[in-house]
Amino acid sequence: MKLKLNKLDNLILRILSESISEEGVPNLKYYAFDWDDNIMYMPTVIYVLDEDGEEIGMSTKDFAKYRSRVGKEPFDYNGHMIVDFAQNMFRDFGTDGDEKFLIDALIAPTGPAWKDFVECINGGSIFSIITARGHNPKTLKEACYELILSGRDGINMKKCVENLKKYRELFNMENAEDIELIWEYLGLCKFHPVTYGEGSAANPEELKKVAFRDFLQYCRDLALELQTKALIKNKISNNFMPEFQLGVSDDDPKNVEMFHKHFGDEPGVKVYSTQSGEKKRINKNNN
């Protein structure tokens, strides 16, 4: 008999996050990603001023290196003596740049965290995008949706949907259309463009810290719910002993330092730096 209780259906949608093995056993694995120079190398630039008052576009990678010097001391950048920030320097990183972001996300070179992003999507795991950008959160969600549909560089919509459907099978739920499942799945994920509305993109560490703390609690709540014996008894082996795992990756050394300082000792949390273009574990002594 198919279960049709709305309350139970909503509960299952909330725990769709967990990847399921071929044996039907979920793992409690979650992901938090920075976007720029982490998932992708986007062409969006930050505008700074040279000594002649000309606006110069600076890449996000370079900005992570030079941002503490802009406006404090002149320095050479690609043949220009940079002296200050331009007016509305992050204009392409906010809602005015939403349309371009959607286009760039489908064609920009992939970054050092892309492999993990693909693993996350294909497994149907819950994730969060925590970025200094200020786009509408719906824009980030739509970009991820388009990436799934396009099958970009290893993303496999079929695998994603198969994993999502296993949860419904696990609880004898009626099937849903593939597109509906994907939208419901992305609805469980969290999109935090931390300078959307208000906030300083020049110093996003505090905003990212708040966003990650909220996501960490959200993941723990989901993990506890999944482990409720009343829901999984007779469906999963009694030997099922899940371990909460949440990985966060960022390319900006200041953000990595912040995550390590405030969350590096949290049980189940792994902090990675992608500053060098390769993923490197930072809090190696933790779990």
Side-chain angles (χ1 to χ4, degrees), residues 115 144 147 263:
K115 182 179 178 180
C144 292
L147 287 169
F263 305 103

Side-chain angles (χ1 to χ4, degrees), residues 44-58:
T44 326
V45 297
I46 298 98
Y47 296 99
V48 293
L49 289 178
D50 69 8
E51 59 185 351
D52 297 322
E54 179 183 354
E55 288 192 343
I56 307 299
M58 181 178 287

Side-chain angles (χ1 to χ4, degrees), residues 120-177:
C120 170
I121 294 289
N122 290 351
S125 294
I126 282 289
F127 66 91
S128 178
I129 303 297
I130 302 177
T131 173
R133 287 176 176 264
H135 299 293
N136 190 309
K138 294 180 181 179
T139 300
L140 299 180
K141 182 188 295 186
E142 185 177 349
C144 292
Y145 173 76
E146 294 295 338
L147 287 169
I148 294 173
L149 263 60
S150 69
R152 175 83 196 273
D153 292 343
I155 292 179
N156 190 314
M157 176 178 168
K158 182 178 179 181
K159 287 184 179 180
C160 177
V161 169
E162 284 177 352
N163 275 316
L164 297 179
K165 286 184 176 179
K166 283 181 181 179
Y167 289 98
R168 290 181 175 270
E169 294 173 2
L170 186 63
F171 293 96
N172 201 30
M173 302 292 295
E174 290 183 337
N175 287 329
E177 295 294 329

Side-chain angles (χ1 to χ4, degrees), residues 198-249:
E198 296 181 358
S200 172
N203 296 287
E205 292 91 355
E206 184 64 27
L207 298 172
K208 284 194 171 188
K209 181 176 72 174
V210 172
F212 186 76
R213 180 177 288 121
D214 290 346
F215 183 61
L216 175 60
Q217 186 59 51
Y218 174 68
C219 292
R220 284 176 170 161
D221 289 344
L222 289 178
L224 286 172
E225 196 157 30
L226 181 64
Q227 294 177 67
T228 303
K229 292 181 179 180
L231 291 176
I232 64 174
K233 68 178 181 180
N234 300 324
K235 293 291 184 180
I236 299 175
S237 168
N238 290 331
N239 295 324
F240 173 51
M241 295 293 292
E243 294 183 2
F244 172 83
Q245 299 181 55
L246 170 58
V248 56
S249 60

Side-chain angles (χ1 to χ4, degrees), residues 212 216 220 246 248 255-272 281-287:
F212 186 76
L216 175 60
R220 284 176 170 161
L246 170 58
V248 56
N255 290 325
V256 172
E257 181 182 358
M258 177 276 296
F259 285 126
H260 182 238
K261 176 181 178 181
H262 294 282
F263 305 103
D265 293 330
E266 291 279 353
V269 175
K270 298 177 174 65
V271 180
Y272 299 93
R281 177 79 181 272
I282 302 301
N283 60 337
K284 295 182 180 180
N285 294 327
N286 183 27
N287 38 72

Side-chain angles (χ1 to χ4, degrees), residues 1-187:
M1 178 179 179
K2 300 290 185 180
L3 296 174
K4 297 183 179 180
L5 298 176
N6 290 333
K7 184 176 181 180
L8 181 56
D9 187 66
N10 290 334
L11 180 57
I12 299 308
L13 292 179
R14 288 186 59 194
I15 62 174
L16 283 175
S17 59
E18 315 307 335
S19 299
I20 300 182
S21 70
E22 293 182 359
E23 293 76 25
V25 179
N27 66 60
L28 304 183
K29 197 171 184 180
Y30 306 82
Y31 302 75
F33 300 100
D34 179 32
W35 190 275
D36 289 284
D37 306 321
N38 192 53
I39 291 180
M40 289 186 176
Y41 293 108
M42 300 287 278
T44 326
V45 297
I46 298 98
Y47 296 99
V48 293
L49 289 178
D50 69 8
E51 59 185 351
D52 297 322
E54 179 183 354
E55 288 192 343
I56 307 299
M58 181 178 287
S59 70
T60 54
K61 182 178 181 179
D62 289 343
F63 186 71
K65 177 181 179 181
Y66 291 112
R67 65 179 172 131
S68 62
R69 298 174 61 186
V70 179
K72 295 181 180 179
E73 59 180 12
F75 61 93
D76 180 75
Y77 177 73
N78 293 342
H80 296 268
M81 189 60 62
I82 304 302
V83 297
D84 208 346
F85 296 109
Q87 186 175 6
N88 196 15
M89 61 181 180
F90 293 109
R91 54 184 177 268
D92 293 341
F93 287 83
T95 53
D96 289 344
D98 281 358
E99 184 175 348
K100 190 175 188 305
F101 178 85
L102 291 173
I103 296 172
D104 289 341
L106 293 176
I107 60 175
T110 57
W114 180 259
K115 182 179 178 180
D116 293 312
F117 185 62
V118 170
E119 177 185 78
C120 170
I121 294 289
N122 290 351
S125 294
I126 282 289
F127 66 91
S128 178
I129 303 297
I130 302 177
T131 173
R133 287 176 176 264
H135 299 293
N136 190 309
K138 294 180 181 179
T139 300
L140 299 180
K141 182 188 295 186
E142 185 177 349
C144 292
Y145 173 76
E146 294 295 338
L147 287 169
I148 294 173
L149 263 60
S150 69
R152 175 83 196 273
D153 292 343
I155 292 179
N156 190 314
M157 176 178 168
K158 182 178 179 181
K159 287 184 179 180
C160 177
V161 169
E162 284 177 352
N163 275 316
L164 297 179
K165 286 184 176 179
K166 283 181 181 179
Y167 289 98
R168 290 181 175 270
E169 294 173 2
L170 186 63
F171 293 96
N172 201 30
M173 302 292 295
E174 290 183 337
N175 287 329
E177 295 294 329
D178 291 358
I179 298 301
E180 181 182 355
L181 278 177
I182 292 171
W183 274 119
E184 290 173 343
Y185 162 56
L186 292 177

